[in-house]
Amino acid sequence: MIRFILVVLTVLLYLILGIPVLLAEWVVGRISPRARDISCLRMVQAAFKLILWLTGAQIEYIGRENVPKDQAVLYVGNHNSYFDILLTYSQCPDLTGYVAKAEMLRYPLLRDWMKRLYCLFLDRDDIRAGMQTILKGIEYIKNGISICIFPEGTRSKDGKMLPFKEGSMKMASKSGCPIVPMAISGSAGIWEAQFPKMKPCRVIVEYGAPIFPKELSREEQKFLGAYTQRRIQEMLDAHSL
């Protein structure tokens, strides 16, 4: 329970202290948007790494060399825990926005940081708004900002992947960017599996070789979500926890 309390206090403290930081970053952005963006990225990554350390999780990262450093990508991963975001965002080499549910817009300060970090808010009940979110993601990628999405649409309760939503993969097929498959094992053990406690556990995050949609067969391109999911499942099957 102590770890949980420390994590909550860290998050609240960061959000409160972040108010003047957001104002300062706004000023920096007037001079150099790129400097502001990188500053925000590194600050949040540092906070996420601290939180992960507080949980006591033993995290193993595999295949980080598979992530292209010279272009924007679409990160695609399985989703078992809220901590999947911290685990993956803390490793992003450059600007990356996450696709989050529209309900996150309800939370002041948190939503402000998310917007500053190019996150997209998906209304799962509004098809038209969902399409606009995808188009915005394509625009970000074309402007050099990577996007991360968990195409199951929600967290898996039993660790087994839910079918990937094919529409989310259009950000890669329409922008021409590579897909970086991410296989996350054991993340639910940080918190969800032992709610409300946090106890040390082992987590594996593996980055697979990039998938280039245009190099796939017509059938594989048609069901790009299913193809990517199979690639992720192969990595998950190789993990031993």
Side-chain angles (χ1 to χ4, degrees):
M1 184 63 75
I2 293 178
R3 293 182 187 276
F4 174 73
I5 294 173
L6 288 174
V7 166
V8 172
L9 289 176
T10 300
V11 172
L12 292 176
L13 186 62
Y14 184 88
L15 290 175
I16 293 172
L17 295 178
I19 296 175
V21 174
L22 282 170
L23 293 174
E25 292 292 358
W26 179 83
V27 175
V28 172
R30 302 283 291 183
I31 302 170
S32 175
R34 172 70 180 177
R36 175 204 61 198
D37 290 345
I38 292 298
S39 175
C40 289
L41 168 69
R42 300 309 178 204
M43 281 192 294
V44 173
Q45 286 183 321
F48 280 1
K49 289 177 181 179
L50 172 60
I51 292 171
L52 290 170
W53 178 78
L54 290 173
T55 69
Q58 298 177 342
I59 308 166
E60 179 182 1
Y61 288 99
I62 302 172
R64 280 183 289 191
E65 67 277 5
N66 286 322
V67 180
K69 306 298 190 297
D70 57 350
Q71 67 180 121
V73 304
L74 179 66
Y75 294 99
V76 176
N78 61 304
H79 195 21
N80 298 315
S81 168
Y82 290 115
F83 282 89
D84 294 336
I85 298 166
L86 283 71
L87 289 162
T88 54
Y89 190 79
S90 62
Q91 304 302 307
C92 293
D94 210 328
L95 302 179
T96 303
Y98 276 56
V99 177
K101 57 186 179 181
E103 288 83 350
M104 298 302 295
L105 290 168
R106 300 172 182 171
Y107 305 106
L109 297 181
L110 178 58
R111 71 181 174 219
D112 296 320
W113 273 105
M114 293 177 72
K115 289 179 179 179
R116 183 62 58 82
L117 297 169
Y118 295 99
C119 287
L120 300 169
F121 300 92
L122 179 64
D123 186 341
R124 292 172 289 187
D125 298 323
D126 188 332
I127 297 177
R128 188 171 183 178
M131 181 56 66
Q132 290 301 314
T133 300
I134 292 174
L135 292 175
K136 189 65 175 178
I138 293 171
E139 178 185 338
Y140 278 171
I141 291 172
K142 289 183 176 179
N143 289 329
I145 302 168
S146 296
I147 296 294
C148 179
I149 191 165
F150 300 106
E152 293 168 271
T154 187
R155 290 176 295 117
S156 170
K157 307 302 182 185
D158 58 6
K160 297 180 181 179
M161 278 193 290
L162 301 170
F164 280 13
K165 299 183 185 303
E166 293 290 341
S168 60
M169 311 303 290
K170 291 186 182 296
M171 282 187 274
S173 59
K174 297 297 184 181
S175 69
C177 78
I179 296 169
V180 176
M182 304 183 300
I184 308 169
S185 297
S187 59
I190 296 176
W191 187 48
E192 285 87 352
Q194 51 198 4
F195 177 84
K197 298 180 180 180
M198 287 183 181
K199 296 180 180 179
C201 66
R202 185 182 174 211
V203 179
I204 298 177
V205 180
E206 182 173 0
Y207 296 88
I211 299 169
F212 297 91
K214 292 183 179 180
E215 296 180 0
L216 302 178
S217 69
R218 182 172 298 181
E219 186 70 13
E220 290 168 338
Q221 290 183 44
K222 184 178 179 181
F223 299 103
L224 189 53
Y227 176 84
T228 304
Q229 185 168 20
R230 288 195 297 271
R231 289 279 298 274
I232 293 173
Q233 187 62 59
E234 289 171 358
M235 291 187 284
L236 292 173
D237 291 341
H239 297 168
S240 56
L241 291 179

